[in-house]
Amino acid sequence: MKKKLLFYFLFFATFGFAQTIALQSFATGFSSPVAIVHPPNDVRFFVLQRFGLIRILNPNGTINNTPFLNVSTLISTSPGNERGLLGLAFHPNYATNGIFFINYTDTAGDTVIAKYTVSADPNVANTTATILMTIDQPASNHNGGCIKFGPDGYLYIGMGDGGGSGDTSGYAQNLTIDNANPSRIYLGKMLRIDVDTTAGALNYGFPPTNPFINEAGKEAIWAYGLRNPWKFSFNRLNGDLWIGDVGQGAVEEVNKITTPLPTGLNFGWRCYEGNSIYNTSGCAAMSTMVFPVAQYNHSTG
């Protein structure tokens, strides 16, 4: 299905909080767009299509005929699931090193974080990739997908709880490695890695302030207790982190973490859905968890 991109213009009234929102069509011709990203100090928009294309949208609304990158043969996008090409992040020094990263679900249905570089043509990427991480996914939903560089220069990776109603496997609160599926320790977590260093045989390193830095197999965890952090973003003015975490059946939530960002945060899922108790069996004390800055129930949208 073809999609239009709409730019939102907010016109604030002189008095009070009344506002009028107008929509203006800016570009058309996209199929299943899931994100719009641009490199630092670059006027181009890079539009991710879930089925595997990254397309360049220019400031005048035109779209380049040749995709910036095509990974359609690498990904799983079975109808009705939440898989595909889901995330894109340009290195903070992209203008000089040409490095960027993508998050996609491969043909086995697992999450892959891969590093690519731009070619001599600034509008086309090289097709050779370096795989940083592959995380086993038990289901086709709650795969997260968003990746962003924080103001600290580290790459943040949002991971869903692996799917299933109510986090049936308890991945979001789990901090014990399953030797049969060790990468599932990262489900329901926000990961943080250093892409400019390496640790042992890995193609990335770990920030020294990550909370489990000395525990093998868990070093990349920055925070936990998330259901499906489909989108998150850093405030460019002050570095605050905002996370949109998809709710179960009653409540959607927005989490805000002010800078300087602490580590080892527990956002509460599956113990709590928003501020409401969901399933507190085996959960830590409520006082140890971070609760949303905003929530809304399904009766309002």
Side-chain angles (χ1 to χ4, degrees), residues 16-121:
F17 297 99
Q19 58 184 328
T20 300
I21 300 176
L23 303 179
Q24 176 181 327
S25 177
F26 184 70
T28 62
F30 295 99
S31 176
S32 299
V34 294
I36 306 174
V37 185
H38 70 89
N41 303 312
D42 195 309
V43 297
R44 297 170 299 169
F45 293 102
F46 291 70
V47 180
L48 274 72
Q49 297 185 167
R50 188 172 75 87
F51 294 98
L53 299 184
I54 300 177
R55 306 182 68 192
I56 294 179
L57 172 62
N58 299 298
N60 62 0
T62 61
I63 305 166
N64 291 3
N65 290 327
T66 302
F68 178 68
L69 182 66
N70 182 351
V71 294
S72 57
T73 61
L74 304 180
I75 63 176
S76 168
T77 56
S78 300
N81 68 33
E82 299 171 8
R83 294 169 170 168
L85 175 60
L86 302 176
L88 167 65
F90 291 95
H91 192 283
N93 297 322
Y94 178 78
T96 55
N97 64 24
I99 295 173
F100 65 96
F101 302 83
I102 63 172
N103 181 333
Y104 66 91
T105 41
D106 65 15
T107 53
D110 297 330
T111 290
V112 174
I113 309 298
K115 179 173 75 172
Y116 284 81
T117 58
V118 69
S119 73
D121 181 346

Side-chain angles (χ1 to χ4, degrees), residues 237-259:
L237 298 180
N238 61 18
D240 291 350
L241 173 60
W242 294 76
I243 305 171
D245 196 10
V246 181
Q248 175 63 46
V251 176
E252 309 298 321
E253 68 178 71
V254 177
N255 293 285
K256 177 188 177 185
I257 304 90
T258 57
T259 191

Side-chain angles (χ1 to χ4, degrees), residues 254-277:
V254 177
N255 293 285
K256 177 188 177 185
I257 304 90
T258 57
T259 191
L261 302 178
T263 64
L265 303 176
N266 182 353
F267 290 102
W269 173 253
R270 65 160 168 69
C271 307
Y272 298 89
E273 182 183 8
N275 292 324
S276 302
I277 292 175

